[in-house]
Structure formats: structure tokens, C-alpha cells
Amino acid sequence: MVISYKENPSLSVEDFMEILEKSTLGQRRPMQDVAAMQLMLDNANVYVGAYDGEKLVGLARGMTDFVFTTYLADLAVDEAYQHHGIGKQLLKKVKNMHPRAKLILLAAPAAQEYYPKIGMQKHDYCFFIIDVQEIQ
């Protein structure tokens, strides 16, 4: 298996949704709302795709300010292609695109143990709000 990597590839919303489904990330994304998925795709500014021939088998999608922070919103690898180093390569490619920016992500529950194994440091100070009503 020869995997190639493309920075900022042209992706359709269908391609985006398919790789999320094949990686299980689709379980935690608004897949029923195609318009929202299109906005997620349109408003990210850093992508790296992993390809087996023409087939998209992995995707790193994020937002960056280019010098301080790159927030990785999705690291998706088709389950049939996992455990071959594709996720690690996607992270390296994203980091190399903007080497001054630290790479930050929120791990999916099933991936909590993966990131420390590849050298990422855990940080305990993450906070989030889903609904503005939660702000007191």
C-alpha cells in the first residue's frame, strides 16, 4: 500500500462526510445537516488528505493563525486503513505546514490513548460551552 499526501486538496462535502463516516468521527459530527458540514469544510483553512491512489483514506482538517496555534478539528482515517501510521503522517504534514504554530486537538474518547503514544502532550485545561445559556 502506497499512501500519498496532499496539502489543501480540493474536497467535496460528500468526500468530507464519507471519510468521517469511515473513521467513526461521523458519530460525533452533525452528519444529518449537510449545510453545516459544508460550512465546516469551507471555514477550515488547513487540510491534508491521505490517498490510496485516488481514494481519500485519511484527512486532517483544522484552523490556524499560521504562527501561534493550529487547532485540529478532525483527524480521520478510514478504519480499514488504521494502524499503518497514516494518522501520524497527517499530523506531521499539518505541523510542517505551519511549524511555528503549536498543534492542538480534542481527542475522541476512543483515541485518548493514541495521542500520547505518538508524542503529543496531554493538557488538563480544556473548557468548552455548547449553548450560550450555559454562561452564568
Side-chain angles (χ1 to χ4, degrees):
M1 165 176 40
V2 177
I3 303 297
S4 62
Y5 297 87
K6 296 179 187 173
E7 293 180 4
N8 296 322
S10 177
L11 296 171
S12 69
V13 71
E14 293 82 13
D15 292 337
F16 177 45
M17 293 173 70
E18 182 177 346
I19 193 60
L20 292 178
E21 285 288 349
K22 288 183 174 181
S23 72
T24 74
L25 281 183
Q27 298 168 9
R28 289 173 296 286
R29 302 295 185 271
M31 302 294 281
Q32 71 287 351
D33 187 346
V34 177
M37 298 301 296
Q38 184 67 58
L39 286 169
M40 289 167 61
L41 186 62
D42 292 345
N43 290 302
N45 64 354
V46 62
Y47 295 92
V48 177
Y51 294 85
D52 184 359
E54 296 297 314
K55 179 182 178 183
L56 181 65
V57 298
L59 179 68
R61 179 187 72 90
M63 287 71 63
T64 188
D65 59 20
F66 306 103
V67 295
F68 187 68
T69 303
T70 298
Y71 169 69
L72 197 63
D74 297 306
L75 180 62
V77 177
D78 184 325
E79 284 186 289
Y81 287 80
Q82 291 178 5
H83 309 291
H84 295 288
I86 295 170
K88 186 160 60 169
Q89 276 302 116
L90 286 168
L91 288 173
K92 284 182 179 182
K93 298 285 186 187
V94 168
K95 181 66 175 137
N96 283 332
M97 288 173 75
H98 308 292
R100 291 178 60 192
K102 68 179 153 288
L103 188 56
I104 299 171
L105 60 81
L106 295 174
Q112 295 262 340
E113 303 301 317
Y114 170 71
Y115 296 106
K117 288 180 186 175
I118 63 167
M120 293 190 80
Q121 298 174 29
K122 185 177 181 183
H123 196 285
D124 293 330
Y125 305 112
C126 172
F127 302 89
F128 67 93
I129 290 178
I130 296 174
D131 189 322
V132 70
Q133 301 300 332
E134 296 175 24
I135 300 173
Q136 300 177 5

